[in-house]
Amino acid sequence: MMCMPHLLRSLKSGRFVLVAAVLGLVSTPAFSQPRRVVSLNVCTDQLAMLVAEPGQLLSVSHLAADPAVSALAEAARAYRLNYGSAEEVFMMKPDLVLAGSYTTRSTVNLLRGLGVTVEEFPPASSLDDIPRDIRRMGQVLQRETQAEALAGKFEAELAALEALPPTGMSAAFYYANSYTAGGGTLVDAIVAAAGMTNAAQWIGLSGTAYLPLESLILAGPDVVVLGDHAYEKPALAQANFAHPALADFINSRRSVSVPPRMTICGGPVTLEAARILRAVAEGDKGT
Amino acid sequence: MNPRLSHRLLITGLVLLVMLTFLLSLFSGPASFGVWESLRALMSDDAGSIALIMHEIRLPRALLGLMVGFTLGLSGAVLQGYLRNPLAEPGLIGVSASASLGAVLALYTGLSVLFPLALPLAALAAAVVSVLVVQFLAGASGSFVTIILAGVAVSTFATAMTSLVLNLSPNPYAALEIMFWMLGSLEDRSFEHVLLAAPAMILGWVMLLGVGRGLDALALGRDTAASMGVNLRQVQFLAIFGTAASVGAATSVTGSIGFVGLVVPHLLRPLTRSLPSRLLLASGLGGAALILAADVLVRLVAPERGLKLGVVTAVIGAPFFLALVWRSRRQMI
């Protein structure tokens, strides 16, 4: 049985779809549910897998099946994997294509030119974007109830996390190729939700930015968050993790590894990253 | 002036220049702190962040810059003398590109994780093969054009194979790292890299510095040199394996850095009265100063962009190379 506020919310969002469809805001026809949905972006892949009803989602991108970047890699194997070329996607005869708003411009334009309906999702850059995107996915797939349940659960968990007192500690993310996440990124929001401050932000970095090892050491965050050891074969990009200066630096403070699949896309798993950070800040020396 | 005295003066001047650029390299970097602070941290044993940065990041970077620069300058001077060709240079005759290929094969297959020395050794082996191929293609006389053509062929092939190996790697980062192997960088190198490359580099230097006399005789022509009692086979062995060992080891940890071996010997030749033996040490020191200065520039001009060292050396080297081609074309007419 549905509880009252829940019912109200889904009624409201249902009405929004109706109004939006009349105004032409949502390009999917409001009354015929898309049945052949193809997703081209690792983030829309995961949202769609969570929200769609069985059989509705036809294909997800090959990245969705890569455990290094996708939190739902296991589930993604059940779908046809696409490599994002317009030709390949068009041959699947989709009635709805889901895409990220930055990466696949030419493919999206080509598909629209061929008369395919495309819904674009901008990447989440704050935690509030996540329930918003989940609800929007519910609208375009006409699965509002499922989406509302997920979004509501996310909001409740986020509220519980944010109600905890600040830890007073700082953290800095250190990725392959010496990249970090500065202000205005999803990672920045995750750090804040964990009750910490982002060291990369107070040394003036915003967006995904280059953080030389020297600057990381001089900034001296309490917790160093390492990402992306996930690949078996070596590359120079990950050589920075093996640098003796980093090893010495980490020895004298806390460090933790947060898998990139939790932070690349906004989704329910994103809060898991915040919980990991919180646990390191509160607990003993991390791993 | 007494030629011996002027040579000493030149070497002293170059040593001072290397020391100056070495210090500049130590003092530049994204983390900003004063010269005095840096020096004190460098000398101290404490474990503060500045000491850590100086000991583990800046010192190995500067040392490696010095060693790689010395290698490139020295091998350029030897190759120009040995092949009697002003365009000979490890980059142009394909040694650097081949060494990159060897290093890439060892690194991205995971071999160098199991056995670290595989990295410089594979680069060295590929470098030896490339010199032998170029020499075979160019023939005994080693004419001006054939050596360069053979070098371009070997270089292009090795670069293409490097790109192929990187593309086939299952690691998605690998494909983007062709930039490093083609243009070279000293970014975040550590003492592990210095220690890995040092033995083969130093062995190469000893071999290359040993050919000075032979090169002086060779400047008079092969037959004259042979009649003077110079063992041409030995000179050939030392020049080829010395270049392969030192350039191979250097390239395996910093990627291939172009033009240094070309520009530096040409700049210094007039100051050494065109005696190949006098040019060797001078050219090595000049190369070290050039790489150290270029590495300072890389960090000053665009510190946030991870600029590659080869970009700066090419900006200096390419116009020089063009001028050289222009001059040699006039000579040929």
Side-chain angles (χ1 to χ4, degrees), chain A residues 15-138:
Chain A
R15 200 166 62 209
F16 171 72
V17 169
L18 199 69
V19 171
V22 169
L23 293 175
L25 286 176
V26 177
S27 42
T28 2
F31 295 105
S32 68
Q33 192 186 27
R35 299 301 313 169
R36 296 179 65 82
V37 180
V38 172
S39 168
L40 304 181
N41 175 282
V42 67
C43 297
T44 56
D45 288 342
Q46 294 176 64
L47 287 183
M49 279 190 270
L50 289 170
V51 171
E53 75 180 43
Q56 188 181 19
L57 184 61
L58 184 66
S59 168
V60 293
S61 80
H62 70 284
L63 287 175
D66 180 351
V69 291
S70 163
L72 299 172
E74 205 54 53
R77 298 220 172 89
Y79 298 90
R80 267 172 78 176
L81 301 181
N82 69 68
Y83 288 81
S85 78
E87 192 178 312
E88 178 192 17
V89 172
F90 187 67
M91 293 306 284
M92 293 182 194
K93 301 190 181 64
D95 53 9
L96 174 65
V97 167
L98 305 169
S101 58
Y102 288 121
T103 41
T104 44
R105 299 309 312 157
S106 53
T107 312
V108 165
N109 289 336
L110 210 55
L111 285 170
R112 285 208 170 119
L114 291 168
V116 178
T117 308
V118 181
E119 282 291 338
E120 291 178 86
F121 285 73
S125 57
S126 77
L127 291 173
D128 294 334
D129 287 351
I130 295 171
R132 186 203 67 196
D133 286 346
I134 293 175
R135 289 198 176 98
R136 188 172 154 224
M137 186 59 80

Side-chain angles (χ1 to χ4, degrees), chain A residues 177-256:
Chain A
N177 272 329
S178 299
Y179 274 86
T180 192
T185 58
L186 183 60
V187 164
D188 194 49
I190 293 169
V191 173
M196 303 164 89
T197 51
N198 184 1
Q201 195 197 4
W202 42 258
I203 61 173
L205 298 175
S206 66
T208 300
Y210 180 55
L211 177 69
L213 187 51
E214 291 186 9
S215 308
L216 172 74
I217 292 173
L218 209 61
D222 299 311
V223 179
V224 180
V225 189
L226 303 172
D228 233 350
H229 293 83
Y231 298 102
E232 193 190 329
K233 291 290 179 199
L236 295 174
Q238 289 142 276
N240 54 347
F241 298 129
H243 200 290
L246 182 66
D248 283 1
F249 179 65
I250 284 175
N251 254 336
S252 61
R253 57 203 66 227
R254 298 172 189 193
S255 81
V256 65

Side-chain angles (χ1 to χ4, degrees), chain B residues 29-110:
Chain B
S32 51
F33 35 81
V35 169
W36 175 239
E37 234 175 326
S38 320
L39 269 184
R40 211 175 38 194
L42 194 62
M43 302 305 168
S44 74
D45 279 339
D46 68 33
S49 15
I50 296 181
L52 187 62
I53 291 170
M54 293 308 292
H55 286 155
E56 300 278 8
I57 300 178
R58 299 227 183 135
L59 191 59
R61 180 176 188 153
L63 265 178
L64 209 56
L66 185 142
M67 292 163 67
V68 170
F70 190 85
T71 296
L72 294 173
L74 175 62
S75 61
V78 169
L79 284 177
Q80 287 174 18
Y82 170 63
L83 298 170
R84 282 172 294 153
N85 186 327
L87 299 183
E89 193 244 355
L92 280 173
I93 68 166
V95 180
S96 298
S98 305
S100 284
L101 175 59
V104 162
L105 278 172
L107 188 73
Y108 292 87
T109 55

